[in-house]
Every structure is written in C-alpha cells, then in structure tokens.
Amino acid sequence: MNASETIAAIRADARFAKAAETLAAEHDRTVADVITLTEIPSPPFGEEQRAGAYLAMLRAHGLEEVEQDEIGNVMGIRRGFGNGEILVVAAHLDTVFPAGTDVRVRREGTKLFAPGVSDDTWSLAVNLAFIRALDAAGIRTRQDLLFVGDVGEEGLGDLRGVRHLFAQSRHRPRIQAFLTVDSPQVEHIVSGGVGSRRYRVTFRGPGGHSYAAFGLVNPMYAMAEAARGLAAVEVPKFPPTTHCVSVVSGGTSINAIANAVTIEVDLRSASAVELERLDQRFLAIVDDAVATENAARSTASGVITAEIARVGDRPAGETPAGSPIRDIAAAAVAAEGYAPQFEFSSTDANVPMSLGIPALKVGAGGRGGRAHSLEEWLDVEPKESLRGMRTTLAAILALAGMEGIG
Amino acid sequence: MNASETIAAIRADARFAKAAETLAAEHDRTVADVITLTEIPSPPFGEEQRAGAYLAMLRAHGLEEVEQDEIGNVMGIRRGFGNGEILVVAAHLDTVFPAGTDVRVRREGTKLFAPGVSDDTWSLAVNLAFIRALDAAGIRTRQDLLFVGDVGEEGLGDLRGVRHLFAQSRHRPRIQAFLTVDSPQVEHIVSGGVGSRRYRVTFRGPGGHSYAAFGLVNPMYAMAEAARGLAAVEVPKFPPTTHCVSVVSGGTSINAIANAVTIEVDLRSASAVELERLDQRFLAIVDDAVATENAARSTASGVITAEIARVGDRPAGETPAGSPIRDIAAAAVAAEGYAPQFEFSSTDANVPMSLGIPALKVGAGGRGGRAHSLEEWLDVEPKESLRGMRTTLAAILALAGMEGIG
C-alpha cells in the first residue's frame, strides 16, 4: 500500500472511528487540559513547574517508563507490539514568554487567549487526547510511541531538550522517526529544518578622548566594517539562507572613543552546507574587519580585538521529498481535505533531521495565531479542531504501524 | 611699551607688590572659600545653589551692579576710571558631576581632594582674592572689570552661560576682551577654541523577523555605512579637526531586524570653517547611507529614514598669534618664569573667540589634576599658588589698563 492507501485504510477502520469519537467526546477535557497547562508559566529555562504537571498527566494516562530526564524533558512510552522500535511524538513545554508574564487564559466563545496557548501548549493537551483515544479504541501499534514534553525549543533554549534526547537518551538507538506536534494548523508541515548559528561579537579597543585621542583605532568602525561585510554576503534563495546583524550596543559618552562595541548576529540556512559556509564567511569577515581597522588608524595605545561567543547553534536538516514520512503526513492532511504545504522552519525536528532521522513538524488541529505575542490565541471550535486532530492521529498510526493495517 | 615692558612695569609697581602681599596674607581665606564653594553641589543644569552663594560673595566684595541674569550667571562690576569699556574675568560655576556626587573636600597637607575643586571652583575663589588684593592696594583700572560666575560650561551645558552673556547682556556692547580663569596651571593658555557639533542620529526601518523578513532594509546597515563613511573622512591636523562615532545602540532581539539604531557623534575643530565643512560632510554621509541601504535591500515593508538631532553646538574660534591679549598673557606667564604654551581646547572662551572678541583661557595658580574624575585634586601650596595668582593678576591689569602704567 502506498501512503494514501494506508491512510485510507486507517480512516476506514472501525477502531479509528472509535478513536475519533473519543476525541470528540473528550474535547472539553482536552480544552480543560490546555487551560490548566497554559496557566502554569513555562518561560525559557523555567519549565520545571509545567514539566512536573505534565509528568503527572503522562503517568495518569497509563504510559510506561514515565520519567524526567537530566535536561528536564518528561516522557513515557505507549508500548507497541513490535520489536521496540520507537516513533517519538513530542510537543514542547517552553514558551517564549518571560517569568512574570500574565498567563491567565481569557475565553471568548471558542477562542482562548493567552501567551503560549497555541505555541505549543495546545499540542501537549492534544497528545494526551491521542493517548486516551487510542486506549478507548483498543488500537495497538507496531512501534512504541514515545510521548515527550520537551524543554528548550524556543530562542536561546537552542533545542536543548530534543538535542539531549538524541545525544543521551537510552531510547535513542531505537528511534525510527520523530514527529513534533507544534501549533494548530495541520496543513503546514515542516520538512526543512532551518539551522542557525548565533554570535555575540565584542570588538574591543583602547578607547580614549574623542578629541585628544583622535586617530586611535575605534571598535565602532571595526563593528561597522563587519556589519557592512555581512550585509553584502550573497546567499542562495533555495535552500533559504539568511543573515542579520540584529542588536548593537557600545560606547559610554559622546566625547569618548568606545572601549567596546557588541553586536548580535543571526545566521540561518535550511542547508547544513550553506550554513557552515556562511558561518565561516562571517568569522572571516570579523577577522578582516579587525585587521582593516587596525591598519586604518593608530594602534599606539592598543589594538582592536574581537571576542566571538557562539550563543546559538541549531543544526540544519531536511526530510527530503520522497521520504515515506512526508508522503504519509501529506496523505493524512489531504484525506481531511486540506492542501498540504511543506515548509522550512526551525523546530524541534531540526535535530533528528540533522541526524538523518525521518522527522517532521505536524499540527495539533484547530486554528491559532499571533504566536510569540501577548495576543496569542487558539480557536478550539470542535469541528475544525477534531478534523485536525484526526489528521495527525492518522499520520501517527500510519507511521507507527497500526495493528491489522497494511 | 610692548607687552613684556607693560608687565614688567606693573610688577615693579609698589601697588602691585601690595596686591601680591594681600594675596599671600589672605591665602587661607581663599582656600576657605574654595572649600565652601566646592562643597555646594553644582551639577550640570543645577548650579542655582552655588550661584546664590557666589552672588552673595560678589556683593560682599563691594562690586557694583551685582546680579543674576536670566540664564543663571552671576556677576558684578569693579568700576574702572575709563569710558566704561569692559574686561570680563570669568570662572564657571558648574562641574561635570551629577547631583548626588559626594563633594566633601578631603585635605592632605596642602592638597585638597574633591570633585570640581580645581575645575573650576578654585578660579571662583581666586577671582574673589583678586578683588580683595586690588582693593587693598588701591589699584584702579581704566576698563571696568566684569567678574562673572557662569553656568553651563561643561558637556551638554554647551557654553550656554557665556553664550547668553554675549547674546543678551546689556554689557555686551562694551566688552573689549574676555578672560576665563579655568583650572590652576597658568602656563597653559588656551587661545584656540575647539568648536563642536554633536549629533544623535536615529536610523529607522520597518524591522521584521531576521529569517522570515530577510532581504528587507536594515537600519543597522545604514548606521554602519554612515559610521564607515565618517571614519574615512580626512581632516586637517592644523587647525585640529576630529570626528568620532562614540555611542551606538539598537535592536531588540537576536532574531529580529532592528526597527531603530541610534548613534551619537562628536565633530570638533578649532576652525569654524573646517567645523562647518565637516558638519555638512557628515550630514551628507548620513543621507548617502540611508539612500545606499534603501537601494541595497527591499523597501517593500518600508524605507530607512534618519532622524538627526543636534545635541551640541559649541562655536570654534581663535585668538590668533599677534593679538595683544596673547602677547600680554605670555609676558605675564614668562615674567614668573613659566614657559607659556598656547593650546587648543573647548572652554567658555570659545564664544567670544567665535565673535572675534579677544579671549583666552588663563589659569588661577597652583597645581591640580584628575579633573572630571572623582579623584580630582588641587594643591594650594602657597608659594606655587601665589606665583600663579600674581601671573594672572598682572595679565588682568595689563589688559584692563592699570592706572599710571603705560
């Protein structure tokens, strides 16, 4: 059977119908769960409280080997009937919002408003709904399903949760594929993992009085040279590759040559090769900028140096066209009448993609928007939500091997 | 008589000897005055309290027309016997130190330590000592002496006190020459007034996500282009002309194109012509940088603009070699055995210099150092202090026309 036939067979099965009925019957509980979880703050590097609550939920859902790992991820296994191969079904625990953000949920009709409610708290609740639906329908899978609530997906979290899972977990050798359920819309499938390298570069120099010490090297100009250098670097449109000098600060007084100027730089590419090339180019640009400034003005009181700190490193990767996991995800999306779109983004799936493990970001169902803003919202209107949930549940079953299908 | 002969005649006069004796006899009082005044905080734009105290001192010294003007300067006249022409003898009331700085004076032997003690509080006290010495010796001058304690000499004060004196004072038409007594060392005579133009330039753009909005114009690169442009501007060594991009800030997040980047820029020259040329050049560089960035990347979401605020404007000027006031000051300095040096700096004398009025910065006597730092000090050791005071007093008398000399 090809992917479409497999999805069709699953959707035609009475057990899948029972699972879908359970999702519908339990919808209010799923909504209650997302509200509960959303109102537990989970700022970057502060996911402990939500992780603890989710760990208890995973345990209450009857999973095996429920645990929290060293980095803070929580997980548990829904055992399959096969040889112990694993499909990971993940959602991330962290939000972009700092500690102290008001995370109370405001409801207007079927819409929930709260920071983090759709990115990615909804998926945490929906993954629990999947477990209940599978149990209620008595559905078994060949592969074990490893449900994970992971830390560190956002920003400077640098994918540390999933990175740790693939670097350290005892489950690692048995993981065959990886789905991260992230944000509601199911038609947006991320198959290209945009990697990034992030730098904080501090240009230092001797400083001095703006008038009396005129002619000395100035770290401001080395910074400007580096910024101009990076701005001029041409990058391919496909695979998408980008660069940005994002933040700058330096100097103390209008009548002084600065001692130090710092920039923060974001380099991204969907191609590991292009990202590495851009990275090397940027580092050379910084070296050249320092040398140019040291040659342009006097170094009698000291030279310009650059201190380069890598503050982010997300691997690039791609689950290429023709991969069975892509065909299955697309078939599941199409079967519910959506038009599947494969996209590039930076998600937890970057890590397995970079390791050559089939991986996608899929959706949890429903509609949401304004992610990363205080106006973030999630529409849990049942019809659309359940349509999306069925989509991703069918994909999970096709990937993990539903008993009696195919 | 040439300048040296005039100075020699003054120094040989019995009345000058009596004045010098008075300075010596009253030295402890002069030291007491500098301590009293130093311990009255006088931060930028907060000179009121010290101005009030100094006003009372000027009045107690028997000056006429003692007053505070609209901008905050305090002043009074020691009447001459001539036609009402005026020599201004000024010192500045303000210090660089912000409100809340501990301004208590610590004394070690003949050294006084306190913020502002030598720049320029000592000169305020010494100018009072000059009045007492002239009175005690019965010395009359042809010109009126207008003693001024002025506001706004430091930093963003932008010379507003003396600027006001020359723009608004009823005395203005009668002012023939201007001495600002500023800092102890008398051998350093400032005859070149370094002017400055100071700008705060904010480059603005539409901003956007560093990855998703890649290709949009970035104010960071317009800033960098402008900074590099200014750095490359060649300026004359004489008259000394300098430029500096001093302070930079902008951007909010490593994964965002900045909405705004701000630089602070200091342009200086001892030549009004060169300063104007540099100023126009800088403004053109900013325009060009904006245009370059708008041409280099997409303006689909908005263009780069530059908001230019002039935050400082000190006029340049020079009292040229050959001016009688320079010859007299040099002769007075040399007569006490010092080697006079004519220097470029930015002082209250910039304003009259820029108007073509003979003006110099001269010293109050004694030794001081670490001005503008919390370790600022003044050495009031009598021998050296009195030697310096006699120097400047002789110069004042030569300039204002001592009765019976020449």
Side-chain angles (χ1 to χ4, degrees):
Chain A
M1 289 202 289
N2 67 22
S4 296
E5 291 163 349
T6 302
I7 291 293
I10 288 168
R11 288 166 52 85
D13 193 287
R15 291 168 298 169
F16 187 80
K18 172 66 180 166
E21 276 165 35
T22 306
L23 291 174
E26 300 248 322
H27 188 61
D28 286 351
R29 173 166 175 193
T30 307
V31 173
D33 282 350
V34 71
I35 293 172
T36 300
L37 288 165
T38 300
E39 293 189 339
I40 302 171
S42 198
F45 299 95
E47 302 98 336
E48 301 79 11
Q49 197 189 346
R50 183 180 290 184
Y54 199 60
L55 185 77
M57 288 171 158
L58 292 173
R59 191 171 282 128
H61 278 70
L63 299 185
E64 299 177 23
E65 299 186 43
V66 173
E67 66 180 320
Q68 182 165 31
D69 69 13
E70 303 81 358
I71 202 93
N73 302 314
V74 295
M75 66 193 83
I77 289 179
R78 186 172 190 277
R79 191 71 67 196
F81 61 86
N83 60 5
E85 289 181 348
I86 292 174
L87 170 67
V88 177
V89 181
H92 64 87
L93 291 162
D94 57 315
T95 73
V96 296
F97 300 96
T101 303
D102 183 352
V103 291
R104 283 172 301 180
V105 176
R106 177 170 58 87
R107 184 163 186 165
E108 290 182 11
T110 58
K111 271 177 118 171
L112 308 181
F113 293 84
V117 66
S118 68
D119 179 12
D120 185 32
T121 322
W122 178 230
S123 304
L124 292 169
V126 168
N127 285 352
L128 296 176
F130 289 157
I131 298 169
R132 295 194 301 277
L134 294 175
D135 289 352
I139 295 175
R140 301 209 303 159
T141 56
R142 178 172 294 108
Q143 292 182 350
D144 293 357
L145 300 179
L146 179 64
F147 286 93
V148 181
D150 60 85
V151 298
E153 195 268 349
E154 298 284 6
L156 292 175
D158 220 22
L159 312 183
R160 75 182 187 288
V162 170
R163 201 189 287 271
H164 182 86
L165 188 74
F166 281 93
Q168 304 286 338
S169 166
R170 68 180 181 284
H171 302 304
R172 164 71 183 88
R174 293 183 294 122
I175 296 174
Q176 302 300 306
F178 178 96
L179 293 177
T180 181
V181 188
D182 194 350
S183 76
Q185 286 80 348
V186 294
E187 63 271 38
H188 298 283
I189 303 166
V190 174
S191 57
V194 176
S196 62
R197 300 274 169 83
R198 290 169 167 185
Y199 287 99
R200 185 175 294 123
V201 181
T202 300
F203 298 90
R204 295 185 198 282
H209 194 281
S210 61
Y211 175 74
F214 177 69
L216 294 187
V217 286
N218 186 338
M220 191 73 67
Y221 304 143
M223 174 279 292
E225 181 79 7
R228 293 294 305 154
L230 182 62
V233 170
E234 296 199 3
V235 285
K237 264 199 155 52
F238 297 100
T241 304
T242 68
H243 48 69
C244 187
V245 179
S246 309
V247 180
V248 67
S249 65
T252 53
S253 167
I254 199 167
N255 57 14
I257 300 169
N259 286 98
V261 177
T262 298
I263 51 174
E264 296 183 8
V265 175
D266 186 43
L267 310 176
R268 303 197 191 197
S269 181
S271 153
V273 170
E274 288 295 338
L275 184 59
E276 182 61 26
R277 182 176 298 157
L278 179 60
D279 189 347
Q280 293 305 315
R281 184 76 187 279
F282 173 66
L283 296 176
I285 284 169
V286 170
D287 282 352
D288 289 351
V290 167
T292 297
E293 181 60 14
N294 282 328
R297 269 162 282 276
S298 168
T299 57
S301 295
V303 298
I304 300 294
T305 60
E307 180 185 313
I308 301 174
R310 189 186 276 185
V311 295
D313 183 8
R314 293 172 172 234
E318 188 172 8
T319 295
S323 306
I325 193 173
R326 276 178 66 150
D327 294 344
I328 285 168
V333 166
E336 285 287 351
Y338 299 106
Q341 300 165 39
F342 289 101
E343 299 177 354
F344 287 98
S345 185
S346 177
T347 72
D348 274 337
N350 280 41
V351 178
M353 284 174 188
S354 76
L355 300 169
I357 296 168
L360 297 174
K361 180 208 84 66
V362 295
R367 294 287 154 199
R370 302 285 287 133
H372 293 204
S373 86
L374 294 173
E375 290 74 41
E376 187 170 338
W377 59 270
L378 169 71
D379 192 340
V380 295
E381 184 277 316
K383 185 153 177 268
E384 175 63 25
S385 301
L386 292 165
R387 188 178 163 215
M389 287 185 211
R390 286 193 305 266
T391 301
T392 293
L393 183 60
I396 290 170
L397 289 172
L399 287 168
M402 179 172 166
E403 191 179 25
I405 301 287
Chain B
M1 288 199 292
N2 66 21
S4 298
E5 291 162 351
T6 301
I7 291 293
I10 288 168
R11 288 167 53 83
D13 193 285
R15 292 168 296 167
F16 187 79
K18 172 67 180 164
E21 274 165 35
T22 306
L23 290 174
E26 299 249 321
H27 189 61
D28 286 351
R29 173 167 173 192
T30 307
V31 172
D33 282 350
V34 71
I35 292 172
T36 299
L37 288 165
T38 300
E39 294 188 339
I40 301 172
S42 198
F45 298 95
E47 302 99 337
E48 302 78 9
Q49 198 188 345
R50 184 180 289 182
Y54 199 60
L55 184 77
M57 288 170 158
L58 292 173
R59 189 169 283 127
H61 278 71
L63 298 186
E64 298 177 24
E65 299 185 43
V66 172
E67 66 179 321
Q68 181 165 31
D69 69 14
E70 304 81 359
I71 201 94
N73 302 314
V74 294
M75 65 194 84
I77 289 178
R78 186 172 190 277
R79 192 72 64 196
F81 61 86
N83 60 3
E85 290 182 344
I86 291 175
L87 170 67
V88 177
V89 180
H92 65 85
L93 291 162
D94 57 315
T95 73
V96 295
F97 300 96
T101 303
D102 183 352
V103 292
R104 284 172 300 182
V105 175
R106 178 169 56 85
R107 184 164 187 161
E108 291 181 13
T110 57
K111 271 178 117 170
L112 308 181
F113 293 85
V117 67
S118 69
D119 178 14
D120 185 30
T121 321
W122 177 230
S123 304
L124 292 169
V126 168
N127 284 352
L128 297 176
F130 290 158
I131 298 169
R132 296 194 300 276
L134 294 175
D135 288 351
I139 294 175
R140 302 208 305 157
T141 56
R142 176 170 297 106
Q143 292 183 349
D144 293 356
L145 300 178
L146 177 64
F147 287 93
V148 181
D150 61 85
V151 298
E153 194 269 349
E154 299 284 6
L156 293 175
D158 220 24
L159 313 182
R160 75 180 187 288
V162 171
R163 202 188 287 269
H164 182 87
L165 188 73
F166 282 93
Q168 303 287 339
S169 166
R170 69 179 181 285
H171 302 303
R172 162 72 182 87
R174 294 183 292 123
I175 296 174
Q176 303 299 308
F178 178 96
L179 293 177
T180 181
V181 187
D182 193 349
S183 75
Q185 286 80 349
V186 294
E187 63 271 41
H188 298 283
I189 304 165
V190 174
S191 58
V194 176
S196 61
R197 300 273 169 87
R198 290 169 168 185
Y199 288 99
R200 185 175 296 124
V201 181
T202 299
F203 298 90
R204 296 185 199 281
H209 194 281
S210 61
Y211 175 72
F214 178 69
L216 294 189
V217 288
N218 186 337
M220 191 72 66
Y221 304 142
M223 173 279 292
E225 182 79 8
R228 293 294 303 154
L230 183 62
V233 171
E234 297 199 3
V235 285
K237 265 200 154 54
F238 296 99
T241 304
T242 69
H243 49 69
C244 188
V245 179
S246 308
V247 179
V248 66
S249 65
T252 53
S253 166
I254 198 167
N255 55 16
I257 300 169
N259 285 98
V261 177
T262 298
I263 52 174
E264 295 183 8
V265 174
D266 186 41
L267 310 175
R268 303 197 191 198
S269 180
S271 153
V273 171
E274 289 293 341
L275 184 58
E276 182 60 27
R277 181 176 296 159
L278 178 60
D279 190 344
Q280 293 306 316
R281 184 75 187 277
F282 173 66
L283 296 176
I285 284 169
V286 170
D287 283 350
D288 288 350
V290 167
T292 297
E293 181 60 14
N294 282 329
R297 267 162 284 275
S298 168
T299 56
S301 295
V303 299
I304 299 294
T305 60
E307 179 186 315
I308 301 174
R310 190 185 275 186
V311 294
D313 182 8
R314 294 173 172 232
E318 188 171 8
T319 295
S323 305
I325 192 173
R326 276 178 66 150
D327 294 344
I328 285 168
V333 167
E336 284 288 352
Y338 300 105
Q341 300 164 41
F342 288 101
E343 300 177 355
F344 287 98
S345 186
S346 176
T347 71
D348 274 337
N350 280 42
V351 177
M353 285 174 186
S354 75
L355 300 169
I357 296 168
L360 297 174
K361 181 208 81 67
V362 297
R367 295 286 156 200
R370 303 284 285 133
H372 294 203
S373 85
L374 294 172
E375 289 73 41
E376 186 170 338
W377 60 271
L378 169 70
D379 192 341
V380 296
E381 185 277 315
K383 184 152 177 269
E384 175 62 25
S385 301
L386 293 166
R387 187 179 163 215
M389 288 185 211
R390 287 193 304 267
T391 301
T392 293
L393 184 60
I396 289 169
L397 290 173
L399 287 168
M402 180 171 163
E403 189 178 25
I405 301 289

